[in-house]
Amino acid sequence: MALRAGALNLITDVGGLKVGNASSEHVKSGCTVILCDTPATAAVQILGGAPGTRETDLLEPHNTVEAINALVLSGGSAFGLDAASGVQAALREMEVGFEVGTQRIPIVPGAILFDMLNGGDKNWGRYPPYREMGYDAVHSASRDFALGTMGAGTGATVAGLKGGLGSASAALDNGTTIGALVAVNALGMVTVGNTRHFWASPFEIAEEFGGLGLPYPLPGEAADIRTKFSDAEHNANTTIGVIATDLILTKAQAKRLAIAAHDGFSRAIWPSHTPFDGDLIFALATGTAGRAPEIGEFIELCATAASTMARAVARGVYAATPADNDPHPVWSSLS
């Protein structure tokens, strides 16, 4: 099966989703919100050793709430968990949420990454800015959005390079769509050794992140383990993402999809899932395709989840743009 990207090559090629970003160049941080047009089935899988989350327990298949209204990815470490409160506030104004008697409670799980040592001014006073960012991100949400130094990827870094917000999609032969969104802030590397070539290159579609392919022959240092441990920011990590499909899935199937999508981190980041990363992937099933997958289709869906997530990781770093006091160069500046 030859994969092709969706029309926008973004997670919003999956029907029923919008994405909004809010950022501060001064703080060098931001947040990204994924809005569901109607409540969507969701799950989460955490494989990193240092996660920061909100409302993730309710996503487990054995728990009561079946669907959510939005997801939030944010910078700011634990301070960034406030972004979900801003998203909740905006959705409540829109009368969106889980009905409990006369009340509507917006269901908004979230996850954060650490971008506190990236050269931005974190002296924000009594309260951090993330609640307002979350609110603003809801009101900026659309089907089209920019990648790179945006939203939750604004202050992200990887080993040796600036990170960023990435997204990609794939249209399957059976007519369904899968999409990925990720804020890339890994302890490890996304490029092969000392080269500009991305580890995700085998999955690239239409030169979406430079078209370089893998280096040949592979350099001798390709397997070397290089991380941020040589930097002051060695604890400044975590890659957080969302994998989405328009198929109808149970919560258990969504959980399996999130697990499979983590293979995309492993394909695109070396090393990944370390004790100093909080690597996490949410899964969403909007159901706009109107049908559930057969078992063979579900296997194909899970494999495509990994390749699409790997592409999104590379696209996020590829699209990063420079700013003052950056601790690392952007990919486009490499020779």
Side-chain angles (χ1 to χ4, degrees):
M1 178 189 68
L3 289 178
R4 64 188 188 280
L8 296 173
N9 200 14
L10 299 172
I11 195 172
T12 47
D13 285 322
V14 173
L17 298 178
K18 298 185 185 74
V19 170
N21 289 309
S23 306
S24 168
E25 293 182 4
H26 179 68
V27 179
K28 276 196 175 181
S29 190
C31 73
T32 298
V33 60
I34 304 91
L35 297 180
C36 307
D37 291 348
T38 59
T41 303
V44 67
Q45 179 68 15
I46 302 169
L47 292 183
T53 61
R54 166 177 163 150
E55 294 266 59
T56 50
D57 284 351
L58 66 82
L59 299 176
E60 292 302 321
H62 58 275
N63 288 335
T64 301
V65 174
E66 290 292 333
I68 67 166
N69 303 111
L71 291 168
V72 183
L73 310 178
S74 182
S77 188
F79 299 107
L81 293 173
D82 267 0
S85 296
V87 174
Q88 268 195 324
L91 293 180
R92 190 169 190 235
E93 288 177 352
M94 299 173 185
E95 299 185 348
V96 170
F98 183 71
E99 290 191 52
V100 183
T102 60
Q103 297 296 314
R104 284 184 177 270
I105 313 299
I107 307 299
V108 186
I112 50 88
L113 55 81
F114 189 103
D115 58 1
M116 302 290 288
L117 301 174
N118 59 8
D121 184 0
K122 306 305 191 290
N123 295 315
W124 46 59
R126 177 169 293 176
Y127 297 111
Y130 295 98
R131 182 173 297 190
E132 293 304 316
M133 286 185 186
Y135 185 91
D136 292 343
V138 171
H139 290 288
S140 75
S142 67
R143 303 290 179 198
D144 201 3
F145 59 95
L147 303 182
T149 307
M150 298 293 297
T154 298
T157 60
V158 299
L161 287 172
K162 194 169 182 178
L165 184 73
S167 191
S169 68
L172 280 67
D173 291 342
N174 62 17
T176 61
T177 303
I178 192 163
L181 178 74
V182 61
V184 189
N185 189 58
L187 179 72
M189 298 181 67
V190 299
T191 50
V192 182
N194 296 321
T195 76
R196 302 174 71 230
H197 301 255
F198 287 100
W199 279 115
S201 292
F203 306 106
E204 187 174 15
I205 296 176
E207 300 186 1
E208 63 192 333
F209 43 86
L212 299 180
L214 286 172
Y216 181 80
L218 287 172
E221 77 278 3
D224 290 355
I225 299 173
R226 302 184 183 184
T227 68
K228 294 176 185 173
F229 272 120
S230 60
D231 305 320
E233 53 167 347
H234 67 272
N235 287 322
N237 311 303
T238 294
T239 299
I240 47 179
V242 182
I243 194 74
T245 180
D246 54 5
L247 287 167
I248 298 170
L249 300 182
T250 65
K251 285 177 75 176
Q253 287 174 315
K255 177 84 170 181
R256 178 54 56 184
L257 187 67
I259 292 169
H262 270 284
D263 288 349
F265 284 5
S266 299
R267 292 283 191 170
I269 303 166
W270 171 248
S272 60
H273 305 125
T274 77
F276 293 95
D277 287 288
D279 292 349
L280 169 153
I281 295 177
F282 294 107
L284 280 176
T286 65
T288 57
R291 66 183 189 86
E294 301 291 339
I295 184 60
E297 291 178 318
F298 189 63
I299 292 170
E300 180 182 25
L301 185 75
C302 288
T304 308
S307 65
T308 307
M309 184 60 75
R311 292 166 48 219
V313 168
R315 293 191 80 206
V317 176
Y318 175 75
T321 53
D324 292 341
N325 301 318
D326 280 342
H328 296 302
V330 296
W331 181 89
S332 60
S333 70
L334 300 180
S335 57

